[in-house]
Amino acid sequence: DQQVKQNSPSLSVQEGRISILNCDYTNSMFDYFLWYKKYPAEGPTFLISISSIKDKNEDGRFTVFLNKSAKHLSLHIVPSQPGDSAVYFCAASGGGFKTIFGAGTRLFVKA
Amino acid sequence: EAGVAQSPRYKIIEKRQSVAFWCNPISGHATLYWYQQILGQGPKLLIQFQNNGVVDDSQLPKDRFSAERLKGVDSTLKIQPAKLEDSAVYLCASSLAETQYFGPGTRLLVL
């Protein structure tokens, strides 16, 4: 039972353009959502999070949007840089449930 | 501030052998997690400790996997005997609140 889904295994974007990574969840009890970034041979590192009481959270080039009615969140990276090339994991937690991770989306930013 | 430390970084064993992984969390982090990440999938929680007590081990294959966190600091995860399907990256993470901080992981290959 995949409670957190990232339907795009990979995404390719030109440097300077916007990258949009999507994530869907099924459990309406989740109330906290996080994005992690992972480089090869390293562990995931925390990028940005959002609580269910908000619909947007911004940190520099990174913005996360949450649509609770659609059970959907997205991560926007503007402008994209080659150093952003990595695997991005969406994660959800709350309501007494353990943190559940999506399968990840591999982002390629072309110079 | 030192991050989460894990060792070894890589391990190759034959099926039916045993193996142990070690994790040292960030100082002061009460919560420690062990995840299994199979290629192409997101991290899957195996066990969560709060200090030296187990909070969630519902997805730990207890017939072959065991974990302990003596004294509420370092933790070890053991597999005995290993199976081919245990080949994965084993990630340790620690946290104070919702955000988890991951170590670099141990890549296990079972032949």
Side-chain angles (χ1 to χ4, degrees), chain B residues 11-83:
Chain B
K11 191 74 178 178
I12 301 175
I13 62 172
E14 294 187 348
K15 60 183 179 183
R16 292 187 288 272
Q17 286 187 320
S18 63
V19 64
F21 312 128
W22 174 83
C23 173
N24 182 232
I26 293 173
S27 178
H29 282 194
T31 310
L32 184 147
Y33 313 79
W34 282 102
Y35 287 88
Q36 180 192 58
Q37 185 179 11
I38 291 172
L39 190 64
Q41 299 180 19
K44 183 184 86 171
L45 181 69
L46 292 175
I47 189 167
Q48 178 180 339
F49 291 94
Q50 181 76 15
N51 296 307
N52 61 349
V54 175
V55 173
D56 186 338
D57 64 356
S58 58
Q59 297 191 105
L60 187 73
K62 298 180 188 61
D63 58 333
R64 298 184 300 106
F65 286 64
S66 65
E68 59 183 12
R69 192 184 183 196
L70 300 175
K71 302 180 182 178
V73 182
D74 292 9
S75 177
T76 56
L77 176 70
K78 295 179 182 177
I79 308 175
Q80 183 179 11
K83 292 185 175 181

Side-chain angles (χ1 to χ4, degrees), chain A residues 44-102:
Chain A
T45 56
F46 170 72
L47 190 57
I48 193 169
S49 63
I50 188 166
S51 164
S52 60
I53 61 172
K54 292 185 170 184
D55 55 17
K56 177 182 174 181
N57 188 26
E58 193 171 352
D59 183 3
R61 297 185 296 113
F62 303 91
T63 303
V64 56
F65 295 91
L66 175 62
N67 182 333
K68 289 187 291 293
S69 61
K71 296 191 182 70
H72 176 83
L73 62 156
S74 61
L75 174 68
H76 292 210
I77 307 173
V78 182
S80 301
Q81 299 174 354
D84 296 329
S85 296
V87 177
Y88 290 78
F89 291 100
C90 167
S93 68
F97 294 94
K98 57 181 174 282
T99 302
I100 305 292
F101 286 81

